[in-house]
Amino acid sequence: MTFTYRLLLLCSLVGTVGLTATPMNSKSAHAAASCPTPALSRFQRHQVNRGETLESIAQRYNLRPSTLINMNPSVRNGSVTVGSELQIPPYNGFVVEVPSGQTWRQVAEKYEVRADALFEINGCQQDLRVVFVPGGNVSPSRPITASPPAADSQPISFTGYPLQSAATVSLPYGWQINPTTGEVFFHSGVDLLAPVGSAVQAIAPGTIVFANDQGTYGQLIIINHSGNLQSRYAHLGEIKVSIGQKVNQGDLLGTVGRTGEPTGSQPHLHFEMRSSSGLGWVAEDPKGFLKQ
């Protein structure tokens, strides 16, 4: 099978799989509800107008020209035709067909990207038939992990803890087995056991950017910190802050609750740390940020 034919096949699969809703079974619905919309479902179509070039279209969508060439075999010579349609991916990267039986971690290792980022950018789906691999260099034969943007300011020192006392971790960060469904999934934070009504506090100074209900997260608070870092506090019972409010380390944010769809039956705070990158807010291991 020639490269051009395989590329056309993959692009047609994007049109079939990516631009329509992907059905989920009940087991995958919980994980996917907490994840972004799959990259393959976020492809756009752009009709080439008079005066546009491949470079100008790529610049409009904040992509590299090579990304568009990779996704559109008709422009492999570097020129575009007025009136033709281009498929526009949400990020620099490429679409690959995954051999049967491969796992997310195997695909991530092959293309040298973070497994959790690859999992989330594809909507936490279990179907690995066709996936979008993010990368700065969009050649499948030479993939490169997308690098995070420069920090907007110097990182602050994280010396706080989201609860008033040290708590037992009921579910750690990383790849886990859901105790209810038996499904393997990526846990993007840590679950800290605490009684319902326990005070939840900010671990560092920052600005409240979200304070509302958010699907499986339940009542959720998100704080943006300097240094392109973000902390998240989920399954809250009450929210005591509002969007735009400045908070300091130790300030009361809300209380532990049971809202959303917690993993596990014991009441807990689901806490996450994320860093800003070209792929959005990517989950980090909270262990290095929590000071008991």
Side-chain angles (χ1 to χ4, degrees):
M1 185 182 293
T2 66
F3 173 78
T4 300
Y5 179 80
R6 290 183 64 82
L7 190 57
L8 285 169
L9 176 61
L10 287 175
C11 289
S12 67
L13 284 171
V14 170
T16 302
V17 178
L19 300 179
T20 59
T22 302
M24 295 183 295
N25 58 37
S26 59
K27 289 186 178 181
S28 62
H30 173 76
S34 298
C35 288
T37 301
L40 293 179
S41 296
R42 297 172 57 189
F43 274 61
Q44 304 177 58
R45 293 189 182 276
H46 176 89
Q47 187 172 44
V48 180
N49 297 311
R50 189 175 301 277
E52 287 186 321
T53 64
L54 185 66
E55 289 73 18
S56 68
I57 296 171
Q59 185 176 19
R60 173 178 176 177
Y61 293 99
N62 196 29
L63 298 172
R64 298 186 181 195
S66 52
T67 297
L68 299 184
I69 291 174
N70 188 274
M71 291 307 309
N72 298 275
S74 62
V75 297
R76 289 192 63 80
N77 60 1
S79 62
V80 293
T81 304
V82 174
S84 63
E85 282 195 342
L86 302 181
Q87 294 198 92
I88 310 294
Y91 313 106
N92 284 310
F94 48 90
V95 178
V96 296
E97 188 177 8
V98 180
S100 177
Q102 280 201 0
T103 66
W104 284 112
R105 278 175 282 190
Q106 289 171 323
V107 176
E109 182 178 354
K110 178 178 180 180
Y111 294 106
E112 299 178 0
V113 297
R114 283 182 47 167
D116 58 324
L118 182 67
F119 182 65
E120 286 197 353
I121 206 172
N122 284 279
C124 307
Q125 302 297 315
Q126 301 304 311
D127 182 7
L128 296 183
R129 184 166 60 98
V130 179
V131 302
F132 184 84
V133 179
N137 181 333
V138 297
S139 169
S141 61
R142 197 178 159 205
I144 298 178
T145 306
S147 57
D152 55 3
S153 60
Q154 290 298 317
I156 60 175
S157 175
F158 283 77
T159 59
Y161 194 75
L163 298 169
Q164 292 183 323
S165 59
T168 299
V169 175
S170 61
L171 193 65
Y173 169 88
W175 295 93
Q176 308 294 334
I177 297 177
N178 188 309
T180 302
T181 66
E183 174 189 329
V184 176
F185 74 105
F186 183 80
H187 193 231
S188 52
V190 292
D191 290 350
L192 303 172
L193 294 181
V196 171
S198 300
V200 176
Q201 55 196 27
I203 68 164
T207 302
I208 305 296
V209 295
F210 188 90
N212 208 332
D213 185 81
Q214 182 62 28
T216 58
Y217 278 112
Q219 294 291 315
L220 172 69
I221 292 174
I222 300 177
I223 304 176
N224 277 5
H225 307 280
S226 63
N228 282 333
L229 293 171
Q230 184 183 86
S231 58
R232 299 184 178 190
Y233 313 74
H235 305 317
L236 301 178
E238 291 183 274
I239 292 177
K240 302 288 189 180
V241 291
S242 56
I243 294 176
Q245 181 178 337
K246 303 287 186 181
V247 294
N248 293 312
Q249 178 187 321
D251 283 356
L252 179 66
L253 302 176
T255 61
V256 172
R258 294 179 179 270
T259 58
E261 297 181 20
T263 302
S265 58
Q266 294 178 281
H268 62 267
L269 170 69
H270 174 81
F271 175 79
E272 294 184 8
M273 284 299 303
R274 293 186 175 245
S275 61
S276 179
S277 76
L279 307 179
W281 291 98
V282 177
E284 303 288 350
D285 189 345
K287 185 178 180 179
F289 297 90
L290 296 179
K291 308 297 181 183
Q292 299 181 2

